[in-house]
Amino acid sequence: MALSSSFLPAWLRNYRREKLGADLAAGLIVTVLVVPQSLAYALLAGLPPQVGLYVSIFPVIAYALLGSSMVQAVGPVAITAIMTYAVLSPLAAPGSAAYIALAAALSLISGAMLLLCGAIRLGYLAQLLSRPVISGFISGSAVLIILSQTKHLLGVSATGDNTWQVLAALLNQLPLSQVPTVAIGLSALLTLALVRTGLAGSLTRLGVSSARAAFVVRLMPVLVVLLGTLAVIAGDLDRHHGVAVVGSVVEGLPAFAFFLPAYDTCKALIVAASVMTLIGMVQNITMAQALAIKRRERVDANAELLGLGAANVVAAFYGGMPVGGGLSRSAVNVAAGAQTPLASIVSALSMIAVVAGAAHWLARLPLAVLAASIIVAAYPMIDLRALREAWDYDHADGLAWLGTAGGVLIFGLEIGIGLGVVLSMGTLLLRASTPHIAVIGRIPGSEHFRNVERHDVETIPGVVFVRIDESLFFGNLGAVELRLNQELENSTETSDLVLVMSAVNRMDATAVEVFAELNRELAERPTRLHLAEVKGPVQDRLMHSPLWASLSGEVFLSANAAFEKLGRQASRVLA
Amino acid sequence: MALSSSFLPAWLRNYRREKLGADLAAGLIVTVLVVPQSLAYALLAGLPPQVGLYVSIFPVIAYALLGSSMVQAVGPVAITAIMTYAVLSPLAAPGSAAYIALAAALSLISGAMLLLCGAIRLGYLAQLLSRPVISGFISGSAVLIILSQTKHLLGVSATGDNTWQVLAALLNQLPLSQVPTVAIGLSALLTLALVRTGLAGSLTRLGVSSARAAFVVRLMPVLVVLLGTLAVIAGDLDRHHGVAVVGSVVEGLPAFAFFLPAYDTCKALIVAASVMTLIGMVQNITMAQALAIKRRERVDANAELLGLGAANVVAAFYGGMPVGGGLSRSAVNVAAGAQTPLASIVSALSMIAVVAGAAHWLARLPLAVLAASIIVAAYPMIDLRALREAWDYDHADGLAWLGTAGGVLIFGLEIGIGLGVVLSMGTLLLRASTPHIAVIGRIPGSEHFRNVERHDVETIPGVVFVRIDESLFFGNLGAVELRLNQELENSTETSDLVLVMSAVNRMDATAVEVFAELNRELAERPTRLHLAEVKGPVQDRLMHSPLWASLSGEVFLSANAAFEKLGRQASRVLA
């Protein structure tokens, strides 16, 4: 009993009855709401529409049982969908059997990676991506998504290997746009856009609770989809006016299909899968945390990875499309009042009903409407505010954002994010190689030392106090030496040089060697080299180095202690 | 007049007469001493022996006029020689016309790179290499050098594409060793080894000045060469007993040959040339500095690069072998009493005489003796002490040494040094991603704060002081968050969290975002977040960030100020 129950997730073991109603309701509502976007993202990924529905069933259950977030909802999401398309479309014809198999393999590999990272607690790998890089990547991807949908909005067929080709194709095809399709698409787009921007506000002004208002806004896409479908049926627009529709949606449940990808397939997909894993990690964990903070809950990063990994492995065997933690899905879930993952399980089970019986109703859903809903969902992902904030804070961070987004648009998703990582690492080294170094003096009547240029402080003739605000490593010793030599040349007759190490968190072997040489060089002048406020960890290391023994000066606990003693000596000299 | 003289280097413009004698004598002595090693390094590089003499002429003059070191001597050196051989032997047959052309191209490209780096003041690029990496690279190369010479010592022919093949070949050939060659080689080796280790000591004990003793030691190789040559001539060992000798040394001056390498050649040599440039930079600058410190002089890193670059360009057009700042050459120069670069110019001019008239005397010089002198010169380059010191100081630095040396031996010079760079960068990021974080308290009766685990300090109930000893960037925020959450869970009822930022030298955009989230999250508990001792540069940035405005707590100038105020509040609460 105890054993068996210990297999159940915590939320299920101590599930509180009173939550049941909310969870059931939320689950049913979510199902209705996510049907259109599930179809849309499957098409965006270049897969048959029903695949989107399939992976909204068992993967969802897997995550509900293993994940740690109470309200995060996984399923087909925009970023993984566009990545799937971007990665696989060069390898096989979208929609073809080979393509579907590759999508399943991609989902399996990235799922396995996520499980592995979760198992050996590699969640911190997600740290390889700085916020500007993530934001830039998502923004760039959003632009790709919008571009990929525009053709459906116009009712033309424009494809290309890269952004420019797609753009060019769209411009070429523009004159061929089909009036009825454009009419439906644009009206849907406008409706949804207006809804998003205006509706919630006006509803709350009308006294509707903001939660309910948000919910109504979430509901609109479904209404638009219904209206669009009805319009098509009413006017036979698909048959007589060439309005593209979803078309046959295979009905019934797919069989569970176990497989292992071939070595060559793995080799072909490994990079893409790694990027997908990294992005999946980051998105899922950050979003789960954001949701948890709102609800005063905690999420376990590694449990999240296990949940997401399991969901993708299941998705591979049962439909075959990578899934992720979806922002809009989760928002829908929360807005619908979900309390626990039970809501997701309910929606998964009711999705079975949809797949089994209701799929054919979706056959005449116009693609233009789906495209409109995808575009409206993708547009807010273009986060130019993040770019401005990063740029204002530090141009280097802004450049990382631009480099990543630009890289995604020009060279594709993998190179884009690679560029971002390189840019952030490079910035890191560059910053560390140009340390902030200040000549400091004591604020009269205190034990505090400040920059002689910024504050009015007291100094001792012949004694120079220098504070190095950087860990010392091979990459910045040249800059440090240069600056120290400048200071020594500025001040004639320096008898003592005190290095205040309060901000030196680490010294590598090169730094110790260079300082030992500096110590010898200074002894020739002669100038004594003192150290002050050496950190515990640094001191532990230094004690075993030759520098410690050969140091011409002393090691002081604090800059003040050095100031007192050297001050007395100087006055004695002057006297 | 002023104009024309301004073209002359400073040392020449204000040359002091009394130095003339010393410089002339030193120049002549150096010539004699460097003839054998010039031949040896040319052979080591896979080039005809006389090339070593050629590049001891005009490149030396070029450096003398452009470099900034007073006593550094450039010419063919062991490292560049072995690199030339390692890089070119796969591309062409050593000694062949194609090979000689490639060597010239390599010298030209690396020379051009050095000039460029000197011109745009890129000397700091040399910082890419940490001391352990440099030491590991030189040590590994020294082993390669010794291996490459052993076959001459044994009078066998053992070649191979990598270290293991060479070793295997040597072991195979061992039984075929030729007694006379081995006899000459080993006796030369033993003599030189004993001289190096013992002679200087015993001479000084006999009252000879250590400088003169060192000079005699430097002289020994020439004597050994003379004896070896006489032995060969006396016994016709080369004609009747198969003792390999230098053979025909082309006499007379080579023509100055201007050329530009083909694009394909450049492409084939670019990596090797870059590595050579980097190593050349490091070696030359560090050695010039070491020599300058002894003589209380300064060297200008960028002038050094210009000098070395010019030397290599000239070498390319006039002999065609890359040159560098030679440790043994410079030591000889100093020991011979050189005062200014004039000594180098004198030795260059007298080298012309050697090339023009005395070269044929070198024809019957036994290779075994040259090999012995190279081995004795290379052996001290294997710096295991540096390995031990690096390892003792920080295992990561020791691993960088081992990785570089091992890489050089197993994969070759370029991959070896690449491995070293990657290892040092990786270490850097790893260290920075695991910051030292301490919960601190105030030392009673002082304004000093120390680790609560290391010292007996006073704390305030409900207030946690945490000092983060690392700049905050995307790579270590996870670790920081984790630790902060642990501390908050350890201490129940935390009303205030004070982050002491005295060691935080930089915060990137990601760090600011994460801290803004932390601030929001803490506000929910509710726990106030305070900052103390924020560095000027960090504060300047933070002021423009949302965090600054939304901070739930205060920003204190010092940890003590925070301690005082929060202490008063706490006592008020308790009262």
Side-chain angles (χ1 to χ4, degrees):
Chain A
M1 174 57 209
L3 184 69
S4 68
S5 72
S6 72
F7 280 111
L8 299 173
W11 67 263
L12 192 49
R13 253 176 290 146
N14 31 44
Y15 187 81
R16 300 225 314 286
R17 259 280 177 71
E18 60 271 33
K19 292 181 175 176
L20 191 55
D23 280 337
L24 282 174
L28 293 171
I29 297 162
V30 168
T31 313
V32 180
L33 296 186
V34 297
V35 164
Q37 58 168 274
S38 301
L39 296 169
Y41 290 144
L43 293 169
L44 172 56
L47 291 162
Q50 63 272 14
V51 169
L53 303 179
Y54 296 160
V55 295
S56 305
I57 302 174
F58 294 103
V60 172
I61 296 175
Y63 175 80
L65 296 178
L66 288 172
S68 73
S69 166
M70 285 297 107
V71 292
Q72 164 125 283
V74 303
V77 293
I79 292 282
T80 45
I82 190 74
M83 283 192 73
T84 307
Y85 180 80
V87 172
L88 301 186
S89 53
L91 302 179
S96 66
Y99 188 93
I100 295 172
L102 283 173
L106 183 60
S107 176
L108 180 61
I109 299 170
S110 129
M113 286 183 172
L114 284 163
L115 282 175
L116 184 70
C117 293
I120 61 179
R121 318 190 76 71
L122 280 186
Y124 68 84
L125 268 187
Q127 291 187 15
L128 275 176
L129 304 181
S130 69
R131 294 293 175 98
V133 169
I134 297 166
S135 163
F137 179 81
I138 292 177
S139 303
S141 311
V143 173
L144 288 184
I145 292 173
I146 292 171
L147 275 174
S148 72
Q149 294 307 302
T150 314
K151 61 176 185 290
H152 297 307
L153 219 50
L154 304 175
V156 301
S157 65
T159 59
D161 293 346
N162 60 49
T163 316
W164 314 131
Q165 288 184 14
V166 174
L167 262 177
L170 280 173
L171 295 175
N172 286 334
Q173 303 283 318
L174 203 51
L176 308 178
S177 316
Q178 299 180 327
V179 179
T181 309
V182 175
I184 293 180
L186 286 187
S187 46
L189 190 62
L190 286 174
T191 322
L192 292 171
L194 289 175
V195 164
R196 234 181 216 280
T197 50
L199 186 57
S202 33
L203 281 177
T204 42
R205 268 193 300 287
L206 292 173
V208 183
S209 81
S210 63
R212 177 158 287 124
F215 178 65
V216 175
V217 173
R218 294 284 168 197
L219 204 64
M220 290 307 288
V222 181
L223 296 179
V224 172
V225 164
L226 280 176
L227 292 173
T229 315
L230 292 176
V232 169
I233 295 169
D236 259 354
L237 300 176
D238 47 349
R239 307 207 171 108
H240 305 326
H241 302 82
V243 171
V245 293
V246 169
S248 69
V249 176
V250 178
E251 218 158 85
L253 294 171
F256 174 92
F258 178 83
F259 71 99
L260 285 176
Y263 172 73
D264 294 349
T265 317
C266 294
K267 232 175 66 182
L269 298 179
I270 193 74
V271 175
S274 318
V275 174
M276 213 168 217
T277 308
L278 210 55
I279 293 292
M281 268 187 200
V282 174
Q283 267 205 309
N284 189 297
I285 293 174
T286 46
M287 193 158 21
Q289 269 166 350
L291 293 167
I293 290 171
K294 282 209 191 69
R295 303 168 51 85
R296 313 252 182 119
E297 295 166 351
R298 289 214 133 283
V299 289
D300 170 358
N302 291 303
E304 281 304 307
L305 297 185
L306 290 177
L308 191 61
N312 273 289
V313 170
V314 173
F317 297 143
Y318 198 89
M321 173 182 180
V323 295
L327 174 59
S328 52
R329 274 176 178 269
S330 308
V332 165
N333 203 26
V334 173
Q339 295 297 316
T340 75
L342 184 63
S344 299
I345 294 180
V346 171
S347 95
L349 297 177
S350 39
M351 185 63 78
I352 294 180
V354 175
V355 174
H360 65 280
W361 297 345
L362 304 163
R364 299 185 76 184
L365 195 169
L367 292 182
V369 170
L370 285 185
S373 59
I374 293 182
I375 290 173
V376 172
Y379 179 73
M381 287 161 55
I382 304 173
D383 190 354
L384 291 174
R385 202 171 119 277
L387 167 59
R388 214 193 51 250
E389 280 182 8
W391 177 267
D392 291 347
Y393 182 75
D394 182 344
H395 289 3
D397 285 301
L399 286 176
W401 193 103
L402 284 171
T404 313
V408 165
L409 288 178
I410 300 166
F411 306 112
L413 294 143
E414 291 119 303
I415 296 182
I417 201 150
L419 201 60
V421 171
V422 170
L423 279 172
S424 10
M425 300 264 175
T427 311
L428 203 66
L429 284 173
L430 188 69
R431 291 267 175 277
S433 68
T434 54
H436 177 259
I437 298 176
V439 177
I440 56 175
R442 183 168 69 176
I443 293 176
S446 84
E447 293 189 4
H448 296 298
F449 287 70
R450 292 280 184 274
N451 192 330
V452 292
E453 286 155 16
R454 288 193 185 210
H455 301 75
D456 177 16
V457 293
E458 50 184 5
T459 59
I460 308 170
V463 182
V464 179
F465 283 73
V466 176
R467 194 189 67 218
I468 303 170
D469 288 349
E470 189 65 65
S471 289
L472 295 165
F473 72 107
F474 60 88
N476 60 14
L477 292 163
V480 172
E481 269 190 304
L482 189 67
R483 178 64 188 277
L484 289 180
N485 285 321
Q486 285 170 352
E487 293 306 335
L488 289 173
E489 276 152 23
N490 295 349
S491 59
T492 53
E493 289 303 311
T494 306
S495 65
D496 298 86
L497 174 63
V498 183
L499 296 181
V500 180
M501 315 266 284
S502 53
V504 176
N505 304 312
R506 278 167 291 104
M507 276 180 82
D508 71 357
T510 311
V512 176
E513 274 192 46
V514 169
F515 271 48
E517 285 158 15
L518 179 71
N519 179 49
R520 276 198 297 281
E521 191 174 347
L522 288 173
E524 307 266 347
R525 291 167 158 265
T527 302
R528 288 187 301 166
L529 179 67
H530 309 273
L531 303 178
E533 297 185 16
V534 180
K535 283 213 152 64
V538 177
Q539 185 155 346
D540 296 344
R541 288 197 184 286
L542 274 182
M543 281 174 160
H544 304 106
S545 75
L547 172 60
W548 200 254
S550 63
L551 192 66
S552 61
E554 303 177 45
V555 178
F556 296 98
L557 245 181
S558 71
N560 196 54
F563 196 89
E564 292 292 339
K565 178 160 185 184
L566 297 173
R568 281 195 300 277
Q569 291 180 357
S571 52
R572 221 179 292 113
V573 172
L574 297 177
Chain B
M1 172 58 206
L3 184 69
S4 68
S5 73
S6 72
F7 280 111
L8 299 174
W11 67 264
L12 193 48
R13 255 177 288 148
N14 32 44
Y15 187 82
R16 299 225 315 285
R17 258 280 178 71
E18 59 270 32
K19 293 182 176 175
L20 191 56
D23 280 337
L24 283 173
L28 292 170
I29 298 162
V30 168
T31 315
V32 181
L33 296 186
V34 298
V35 165
Q37 56 169 275
S38 303
L39 296 168
Y41 290 144
L43 293 169
L44 173 58
L47 292 161
Q50 63 272 14
V51 169
L53 303 179
Y54 297 160
V55 294
S56 305
I57 302 173
F58 294 102
V60 173
I61 296 175
Y63 175 81
L65 296 178
L66 287 172
S68 73
S69 165
M70 284 297 106
V71 293
Q72 163 126 284
V74 305
V77 293
I79 293 283
T80 45
I82 189 74
M83 284 191 72
T84 308
Y85 180 80
V87 172
L88 301 186
S89 54
L91 302 179
S96 67
Y99 188 95
I100 296 171
L102 283 174
L106 183 60
S107 175
L108 180 62
I109 299 171
S110 128
M113 287 182 172
L114 285 163
L115 282 175
L116 183 70
C117 292
I120 61 180
R121 316 189 79 68
L122 281 186
Y124 68 84
L125 268 187
Q127 289 188 17
L128 275 176
L129 304 182
S130 70
R131 293 291 176 98
V133 169
I134 296 165
S135 164
F137 179 81
I138 292 177
S139 303
S141 312
V143 173
L144 288 183
I145 292 172
I146 292 171
L147 275 175
S148 72
Q149 294 306 302
T150 313
K151 62 175 185 288
H152 297 308
L153 218 51
L154 303 175
V156 301
S157 65
T159 58
D161 294 344
N162 59 50
T163 315
W164 314 130
Q165 290 184 12
V166 174
L167 261 176
L170 280 173
L171 294 174
N172 286 335
Q173 305 280 321
L174 203 50
L176 309 176
S177 315
Q178 298 181 328
V179 179
T181 310
V182 175
I184 294 180
L186 286 187
S187 45
L189 190 63
L190 285 172
T191 322
L192 293 170
L194 289 173
V195 162
R196 231 178 219 281
T197 51
L199 186 57
S202 34
L203 281 175
T204 42
R205 271 194 297 288
L206 293 173
V208 182
S209 81
S210 63
R212 177 159 288 124
F215 178 63
V216 176
V217 173
R218 295 284 165 195
L219 205 64
M220 290 306 291
V222 182
L223 296 178
V224 172
V225 164
L226 280 176
L227 292 173
T229 315
L230 292 176
V232 169
I233 295 168
D236 260 355
L237 298 177
D238 49 348
R239 302 199 178 117
H240 305 326
H241 300 81
V243 171
V245 293
V246 169
S248 69
V249 176
V250 178
E251 221 159 80
L253 294 172
F256 174 93
F258 177 83
F259 71 99
L260 285 177
Y263 172 73
D264 293 349
T265 317
C266 295
K267 231 174 68 183
L269 299 178
I270 192 73
V271 176
S274 317
V275 175
M276 211 169 220
T277 308
L278 209 54
I279 294 291
M281 268 188 200
V282 175
Q283 269 207 308
N284 189 296
I285 293 175
T286 46
M287 193 159 22
Q289 269 165 349
L291 294 166
I293 289 172
K294 284 209 190 68
R295 302 167 51 83
R296 314 254 182 117
E297 295 166 350
R298 293 215 130 281
V299 289
D300 168 359
N302 291 301
E304 281 305 305
L305 296 186
L306 290 177
L308 191 61
N312 272 291
V313 171
V314 173
F317 298 142
Y318 198 87
M321 174 182 179
V323 296
L327 174 59
S328 53
R329 275 174 177 269
S330 307
V332 164
N333 202 27
V334 172
Q339 295 298 314
T340 74
L342 183 64
S344 299
I345 294 179
V346 171
S347 98
L349 297 176
S350 40
M351 186 61 78
I352 294 179
V354 176
V355 174
H360 64 278
W361 297 345
L362 304 166
R364 299 186 76 185
L365 197 167
L367 293 181
V369 171
L370 285 185
S373 60
I374 293 183
I375 290 173
V376 172
Y379 178 73
M381 287 161 54
I382 304 173
D383 190 354
L384 291 175
R385 202 170 119 280
L387 167 60
R388 212 192 53 253
E389 281 182 7
W391 177 268
D392 291 346
Y393 182 75
D394 182 344
H395 290 3
D397 283 302
L399 286 177
W401 193 103
L402 284 171
T404 314
V408 166
L409 289 177
I410 300 166
F411 307 111
L413 294 142
E414 292 118 303
I415 295 183
I417 202 150
L419 202 59
V421 171
V422 170
L423 279 171
S424 8
M425 300 268 176
T427 311
L428 202 66
L429 284 173
L430 189 68
R431 291 266 176 276
S433 67
T434 54
H436 177 259
I437 298 176
V439 177
I440 55 175
R442 184 168 69 176
I443 293 176
S446 84
E447 293 190 3
H448 296 298
F449 286 70
R450 292 278 184 277
N451 192 331
V452 291
E453 286 154 17
R454 289 192 183 210
H455 302 75
D456 179 17
V457 292
E458 50 184 4
T459 58
I460 308 171
V463 182
V464 179
F465 282 73
V466 176
R467 195 189 66 218
I468 302 170
D469 289 350
E470 188 65 66
S471 289
L472 295 165
F473 72 106
F474 60 88
N476 60 13
L477 293 164
V480 172
E481 271 189 303
L482 189 66
R483 177 64 186 278
L484 289 180
N485 284 321
Q486 285 169 354
E487 293 305 336
L488 290 174
E489 275 151 25
N490 295 348
S491 59
T492 53
E493 287 305 308
T494 306
S495 64
D496 298 88
L497 173 62
V498 184
L499 296 181
V500 180
M501 315 267 285
S502 52
V504 176
N505 304 314
R506 278 167 291 103
M507 276 179 83
D508 72 356
T510 312
V512 176
E513 274 191 49
V514 169
F515 271 48
E517 285 157 16
L518 179 71
N519 178 50
R520 273 197 298 282
E521 192 174 346
L522 287 173
E524 306 267 349
R525 289 168 160 263
T527 301
R528 287 187 302 165
L529 179 66
H530 308 274
L531 303 179
E533 297 185 15
V534 180
K535 283 212 152 65
V538 176
Q539 186 156 346
D540 297 344
R541 286 196 185 287
L542 274 182
M543 281 175 160
H544 302 107
S545 74
L547 172 60
W548 201 252
S550 63
L551 193 66
S552 61
E554 304 177 43
V555 178
F556 296 99
L557 245 182
S558 71
N560 195 55
F563 196 89
E564 292 292 341
K565 178 160 186 186
L566 297 173
R568 279 195 301 278
Q569 291 179 356
S571 51
R572 223 179 290 114
V573 172
L574 297 178

